[in-house]
Amino acid sequence: MMLQRIVPVTFREEIAENVFVLRFECNEIVCSASPGQFVNIRCGDACLPLLRRPFSISRVLGDEVELLFNVVGQGTRMLAGKRVGDSLDVLGPLGLPFNFGADFKTGLIVAGGVGVAPFPFLTSVLRKKGKRIVTFLGARTASQLAPTHLDDIHLATDDGTKGYHGTVVDLLRSYLDQHRVESPRLFGCGPTNMLKALTNVAQEMNIECELSLEGDMACGIGLCQGCPVERTKGERKYALVCVEGPTFNSKDILIP
Amino acid sequence: MVKESFSIRGVEFKNRVLAASGTFGYGDEVKDLVDVNRLGGICTKSLSWKPREGNPPRRIVETPSGMLNSIGLANVGVHHFINEKLPYLRTLDTTIIANIAASSVQEYCDVLSLLEQQEGIHGYEINVSCPNVTEGGLNFGTDCSKTEEITVRLRPLTNKPLIIKLTPNVTHISEFARAVEDAGADAVSVINTLIGMAVDIRTKKPRLSTVTGGLSGPAIKPIALAKVYEVAQSVHIPILGIGGIMTTEDAIEFLLVGATAVQVGTANFIDPTAGVKIAEGLRAHAEQNGLQDVGQLVGALESHVAFSVIQSWL
């Protein structure tokens, strides 16, 4: 059930270049959240920026919810500037979680840049379910990698400063060429081009694949109809990222 | 005890704050977050005869103190509304206004006539002013004779309140308000969004898929106030003031310039409880100022400039 709460910030740190971790305390959100869901946060208290900003829930620990984000504009800059004890207006948990209860043995997690955000939470739940996890994490350069609270991590950088020299999806491909993975399921989050490439791999290798998408949303709760993603089948042309996602099976949507 | 209610054509609204069409879904989306029965009314997302997919992304762009939208009247269609959404709305203890959008005069008539056969709808708001569809929408709303014609055609079809939602994207909105008043409308909603645009300087492309969209939010409040003021000098029917209302103080400004009630729109996206908070704020303001009726604020503007002078500026 979604809630709107004013909550205190309990932790804030820059853990990699322009990668911030922020925690707030909200037992009610911790209790009802699942991996893949998000919270929508009011970053300021005036009209600049006007709209809330959506963030994947990165981890829950005790009564705290952890977020992981890049500073990309005004809202995230304000959020990164919060101090312990400041209060936040949070709406969540929102959206549909990953289908982590599906029938598979190995979770292949593929993350590009700050697209790693939802995966520490997913990892902790998959561990509890006894799934094997292999994680592929890519970034432009080594200083932007944030490989925390993940399992069996394989790194890639576009500039070759750490790990595999190339994209994270190419790294995944070479891994799948060399290893036999038992009953796999892909989970991906990252830039649009990465999600397209990942969708292709999933299709070629016939592996079920779930993606977590971003959308330009004003509300995050289905009021504004602002965040459509094109569907591949069904009567309706579009699904809303906020309430019908942000997680989708890659077969069900067209990445723009 | 302060009186908060008002009525249009005998239909009572329990207070002077309504949720604006297109910003509150069909009421059920927010039931976990807010007691919608504490609103004066809910204007539904626009309804058309057939479902509408809406425009391709990108549909939303944030701008300074505002947002542009190009949703394109995405909606479930009136039949699905009646079967799937209206049963929930019927359970609510607030006034339900069905907002109707159409691409022909006949479609407006068909949708209204079908809704007229249903229980649970207390009035109609006619959207002649959507800037984001190619047929109908703003083509109607910027044509005074077409706006009048739609009102004339709809009036005999219902005895419930008929409210026309006007666009500010015209030279003199008051001419449109007078025309629909003469044609039998019971109230006007002032204003719909203003046409606006945003450009991505990196790609040199418009940021909305439809190039232009509708601007809403606090950025448009001063314009909306001036439009409500203009209309209030020109018609006798109630005005529902809309445009960037975020706080109780904003709502009071609209009442003072002549709005009988207000609609809260974009604020719902940021805080779905905004309308309820504003309704409570209006009551508290009335109590603190010794008013018996929130309605005493309506048109209570003190201006030392004659309207004829202001008219020459408008």
Side-chain angles (χ1 to χ4, degrees), chain A residues 5-72:
Chain A
R5 292 289 183 267
I6 308 293
V7 299
V9 172
T10 51
F11 180 86
R12 191 223 65 130
E13 199 172 290
E14 187 172 4
I15 60 161
E17 185 189 340
N18 194 28
V19 181
F20 290 83
V21 165
L22 182 136
R23 287 184 209 144
F24 60 83
E25 190 179 308
C26 187
N27 174 267
E28 293 167 287
I29 291 180
V30 167
C31 290
S32 57
S34 293
Q37 290 189 296
F38 66 100
V39 290
N40 216 1
I41 294 186
R42 209 168 167 188
C43 296
D45 48 14
C47 295
L48 282 173
L50 181 64
L51 303 174
R52 290 173 183 268
R53 297 288 185 266
F55 299 94
S56 287
I57 295 172
S58 191
R59 225 158 49 107
V60 296
L61 49 166
D63 285 343
E64 292 171 286
V65 176
E66 183 171 288
L67 311 176
L68 192 139
F69 60 96
N70 286 155
V71 170
V72 293

Side-chain angles (χ1 to χ4, degrees), chain A residues 93-116:
Chain A
L94 305 177
L96 301 179
F98 287 117
N99 188 8
F100 48 83
D103 186 20
F104 65 98
K105 290 206 170 100
T106 310
L108 300 171
I109 290 174
V110 187
V114 79
V116 71

Side-chain angles (χ1 to χ4, degrees), chain A residues 1-4 42 47-53 91 216 218-219 221-226 228 235-238, chain B residues 22-25 29-30 32-33 53-54 56-60 62 65-67 71 218 246 269-273:
Chain A
M1 175 166 140
M2 63 174 153
L3 308 155
Q4 185 180 356
R42 209 168 167 188
C47 295
L48 282 173
L50 181 64
L51 303 174
R52 290 173 183 268
R53 297 288 185 266
L91 195 60
D216 299 301
C219 67
I221 54 177
L223 298 176
C224 76
Q225 306 277 316
E235 269 178 42
R236 291 157 49 234
K237 185 173 180 190
Y238 297 114
Chain B
T23 67
F24 217 62
E29 291 88 343
V30 291
D32 292 347
L33 298 172
E53 299 285 1
R58 184 174 180 182
R59 291 182 179 176
I60 298 271
E62 190 173 14
S65 297
M67 57 175 276
I71 306 302
M246 304 291 285
F269 297 152
I270 301 138
D271 181 1
T273 66

